[in-house]
Every structure is written in C-alpha cells, then in structure tokens.
Amino acid sequence: MQDIKQQQAQIIEDFKAGNQRFLAGMSIHSSRASLMKLKEYARVGQSPKAVVLCCSDSRAPVEMIFDQDLGDVFVIRVAGNIVAPSLVGSVEFAAITFGTPVVMVMGHTQCGAVTTTLRHIQTKEALSSEGLNDIVSRIKPHIHAIARIQNISDEEKVRRAVEANVRASVGQLSHSSRIIEEMVNLGRLQILGAVLDLSSGVVNFLED
Ligand SMILES: [Zn+2]
C-alpha cells in the first residue's frame, strides 16, 4: 500500500519536474530516441505512468507541457475537460489494462468551453449545435454560481470557473463508475486536478 502511495507521489513529482524543464527550455527528449521507444512499445506494449484528461485547446499539449515522452501519458482530450461516459470508459480502460495509478484532470486559463458556458448562462443565447450544447450543459452546473457573482471582472470569473470546472471533473470522475470508485477507495488510483496558465506555461496543481 505504501508502495503505491510512493509511486503516485513520484509520478506527480515527475510531472512537476517536467513542467519546470519545459519552462526552462531543457527537454530531455529527442525525436530520434522517441522513435526508438515507439518501436519498442509497439513490440512489448504500452505502460503509461499516468492518465491525463485535458482540454483539446491547441495551446495545452500534455506531453510538451510536462516534458514527457512517447508512451508516458495516456491522454484524453475533450473541450472543457468534461466528464462524459466515453471519457470515463477511457480512464477505466487505462486503469484496468495498464494499472495506471494516477489520473490528472488539467484545465487551462482562457478556456473557450468555459467562457462559452459563462456567456451562455449570462445571455441565455442558444448554442449552434447539439454537440456544443452537450459540452456546455455538462460545465454549466459547476460554474452557475460563479456566473452570478457581482463585482468581479470577467477575467476573474473565467479564472474561478476554470478552477471550479476542474475540481468538478475530479469529483465526478472519482464517483463516475463502480470500478473507479473502488480503485480510489483502495488507494490504487489517485485523481487530482491542475490548471495550466497559458500566459506563462506554469501548471498549478490544485490542493484538495
Ligand atoms: Zn479549453
């Protein structure tokens, strides 16, 4: 039990160190070495150290931001880092198949899905498609109260809403299925949240 806790702490430290390398422009990976790893993983199979559920925003590429290599991270990307059934299934797949012990939900500042949802709450304007509506309707309950706060700037609203949306996804994911709930209760799966600041590249890990 202690072993898995140590392993989880080590993985999180590894991501933090990788983000520091990214910020310093000191990547330890090369495309030549990555290609060799790819060929090796094609032969022996993958064993990602963590699952990351992240927004699809082009400015939030998980492997680059954390200076991770090919095969290191099982990445699930969806606008607004929402939790929906097929995304839960993706987490279950990685946790069961590879025994991946850490799941990180990473949101980011200036998130378009979150700002669209805030605007939708405030203006009640209709969304242009069923697909968009599905995303917005999943974010809406988590940030509804923030949209109604008076006397704070729109930027501050977005900042708070992004963080609230990540925390909500962490909470939802933890109770999203019997399998995941059981793994979390047994300590075999740690789910945590983080927010990428696009203006600096810094990832802030959210405390419980
Ligand atoms: Zn986003």
Side-chain angles (χ1 to χ4, degrees):
M1 195 63 218
Q2 195 54 33
D3 279 0
I4 186 100
K5 259 191 156 22
Q6 277 174 0
Q7 196 190 342
Q8 288 161 335
Q10 182 58 49
I11 291 165
I12 294 162
E13 281 312 308
D14 185 53
F15 273 79
K16 288 180 178 173
N19 184 230
Q20 289 301 320
R21 288 196 301 276
F22 171 69
L23 294 169
M26 308 268 284
S27 173
I28 55 172
H29 307 294
S30 74
S31 52
R32 184 186 295 268
S34 297
L35 178 60
M36 282 168 67
K37 275 193 186 174
L38 176 61
K39 290 175 179 173
E40 173 70 3
Y41 291 143
R43 204 171 54 78
V44 302
Q46 61 176 319
S47 180
K49 64 177 101 165
V51 176
V52 177
L53 171 65
C54 166
C55 183
S56 302
D57 194 296
S58 63
R59 299 163 293 180
V62 174
E63 286 91 342
M64 284 179 79
I65 294 292
F66 291 109
D67 192 34
Q68 298 297 308
D69 205 357
L70 203 148
D72 284 339
V73 197
F74 192 93
V75 183
I76 305 162
R77 292 184 72 171
V78 58
N81 41 272
I82 55 166
V83 175
S86 54
L87 308 166
V88 173
S90 301
V91 173
E92 287 175 335
F93 174 75
I96 295 166
T97 315
F98 315 119
T100 312
V102 170
V103 178
M104 186 196 306
V105 177
M106 186 174 81
H108 65 96
T109 57
Q110 304 174 28
C111 183
V114 171
T115 49
T116 299
T117 307
L118 276 173
R119 195 166 56 240
H120 174 72
I121 295 168
Q122 283 160 341
T123 66
K124 297 189 170 62
E125 74 182 2
L127 294 154
S128 55
S129 80
E130 230 174 88
L132 276 174
N133 190 55
D134 181 73
I135 293 171
V136 165
S137 65
R138 288 178 195 278
I139 298 174
K140 206 153 96 173
H142 313 313
I143 66 168
H144 212 273
I146 293 168
R148 300 274 177 231
I149 299 175
Q150 308 281 335
N151 307 323
I152 59 169
S153 66
D154 285 346
E155 288 76 20
E156 177 62 12
K157 269 186 196 175
V158 174
R159 195 194 64 73
R160 290 191 197 183
V162 163
E163 187 176 321
N165 187 48
V166 168
R167 288 187 188 281
S169 287
V170 169
Q172 267 186 325
L173 203 51
S174 308
H175 303 287
S176 56
S177 76
R178 191 182 49 76
I179 297 166
I180 291 178
E181 204 165 41
E182 206 172 278
M183 291 181 94
V184 169
N185 289 339
L186 291 170
R188 286 167 51 200
L189 198 62
Q190 182 180 354
I191 306 179
L192 74 160
V195 176
L196 164 66
D197 184 341
L198 293 186
S199 67
S200 64
V202 173
V203 177
N204 294 300
F205 287 77
L206 304 180
E207 303 301 323
D208 292 338

